[in-house]
Amino acid sequence: MNTRPTTATPKVVMTFSNEAANPPWKLPPPLFNARCRACWFTAALLVLVLASFVSLDLDWAAFASMEAARSMGRFVAEFFPLDLSHDFVRKVGWAAWETLAMSALGTVLAVVLGLALAVPASRMTQHDSAWLRSPTRWLLNALRAIPELVWAALLLISAGLGPMAGTLALALHTSGVLGRLFAEAMENIPTGPGDALRIQGVGPLRVFAFATFPQVLPQLMSYTLYRWENNIRAAAVLGVVGAGGLGQLLSFHMGLFQMNKTATLLVAMLLMVACVDALSFSLRRWLNR
């Protein structure tokens, strides 16, 4: 009698649950929530943008019309051919060097003044009273609240026409920007190295030199290079009020409607800014290695 092994057929038991596939706390939040402050802020910002479009008299139809396109075409055609005469190119080269020197010197002066103001504007430790912090920060706010062009117009009275007023204008405005950035960087560094030196009785000057400054130096250099890039562009514009450099030549030749010379100056500005941007990018990469 042959016997065959019997195999039991497994029973599939299906269970159903009323629970969601994902717990509620793992689901994405709703796009808008009445208790979300960021949502209300975003909604208010959108309303402000829409109100700006409605309140401003923006004639987009005239801007996109064929007549406006033909006028711009005629205006751009006046830029060519560029004035590449020897005497004018030499004048442009000297003005470009003057602009570069204004931006470099103004940035260096701003670094010195900004670092001097950043120390009293920052609280190094929790136990530091920092009684100069608030008035120094008010001074930094005042320096950077006034644009470079306004500083240059004010300094023309005392410094006269030329690059002196432009250099001082860049230094004053940039010192307010860098001073605030330097102060924030000093307050956000780890306090362990400085506390270790203070416990040993080291004075505040040596603590700053051997603990605080080495930690913030790469960040300070990055901020300085970034502001130098901005000062190149600002120095090229300051000449409009008579502060020297490429901007002064640009204002002069545009006023005489010498568009071929204006085009040469614009090309010189673009080349100078591109070279400085590439140099600053390379230096920042080298510092971050």
Side-chain angles (χ1 to χ4, degrees):
M1 182 176 182
N2 296 328
T3 59
R4 295 181 179 178
T6 58
T7 59
T9 302
K11 295 182 179 180
V12 179
V13 180
M14 299 181 65
T15 59
F16 297 92
S17 176
N18 293 328
E19 295 182 359
N22 293 321
W25 57 85
K26 291 186 179 180
L27 293 176
L31 293 179
F32 184 82
N33 188 357
R35 297 181 179 179
C36 177
R37 296 181 180 178
C39 298
W40 285 109
F41 177 78
T42 305
L45 187 61
L46 291 176
V47 171
L48 179 61
V49 172
L50 292 176
S52 300
F53 273 102
V54 173
S55 60
L56 294 178
D57 187 14
L58 302 177
D59 193 356
W60 294 103
F63 178 74
S65 64
M66 292 301 298
E67 181 62 27
R70 284 192 292 267
S71 298
M72 286 299 300
R74 290 192 298 268
F75 179 70
V76 172
E78 294 178 0
F79 286 171
F80 301 97
L82 278 69
D83 188 349
L84 300 177
S85 60
H86 180 267
D87 292 338
F88 186 68
V89 170
R90 184 177 61 182
K91 186 186 297 184
V92 171
W94 174 252
W97 169 253
E98 194 174 65
T99 301
L100 184 64
M102 285 169 53
S103 66
L105 183 57
T107 305
V108 170
L109 293 176
V111 169
V112 175
L113 182 59
L115 187 60
L117 293 175
V119 175
S122 58
R123 180 179 282 108
M124 301 298 181
T125 61
Q126 296 180 352
H127 305 288
D128 188 4
S129 60
W131 58 277
L132 286 175
R133 185 174 184 268
S134 295
T136 308
R137 293 209 169 204
W138 278 106
L139 176 60
L140 292 174
N141 291 339
L143 289 174
R144 71 174 183 272
I146 302 176
E148 300 96 333
L149 198 62
V150 179
W151 274 121
L154 295 174
L155 291 170
L156 285 175
I157 301 174
S158 58
L161 295 174
M164 182 69 178
T167 303
L168 293 178
L170 291 174
L172 290 174
H173 177 78
T174 308
S175 62
V177 177
L178 290 180
R180 180 60 183 268
L181 294 175
F182 290 175
E184 296 293 336
M186 292 177 186
E187 288 188 345
N188 293 326
I189 61 171
T191 60
D195 293 338
L197 293 179
R198 293 185 189 95
I199 293 174
Q200 301 297 324
V202 179
L205 183 60
R206 296 175 63 189
V207 170
F208 176 81
F210 293 101
T212 304
F213 188 71
Q215 291 186 86
V216 299
L217 182 59
Q219 198 168 0
L220 302 190
M221 292 297 297
S222 180
Y223 287 147
T224 301
L225 291 173
Y226 175 70
R227 285 304 307 178
W228 183 39
E229 296 176 19
N230 294 337
N231 285 342
I232 286 286
R233 302 175 183 88
V237 178
L238 290 180
V240 174
V241 295
L246 287 172
Q248 189 167 351
L249 282 179
L250 182 66
S251 177
F252 176 76
H253 291 292
M254 282 190 68
L256 296 177
F257 296 99
Q258 297 174 347
M259 307 314 296
N260 55 347
K261 295 181 184 295
T262 301
T264 304
L265 290 167
L266 292 176
V267 171
M269 286 183 180
L270 291 175
L271 291 176
M272 184 178 62
V273 170
C275 292
V276 171
D277 286 349
L279 177 61
S280 177
F281 177 74
S282 300
L283 289 175
R284 283 200 303 268
R285 289 189 60 184
W286 177 72
L287 290 172
N288 292 327
R289 286 181 180 176

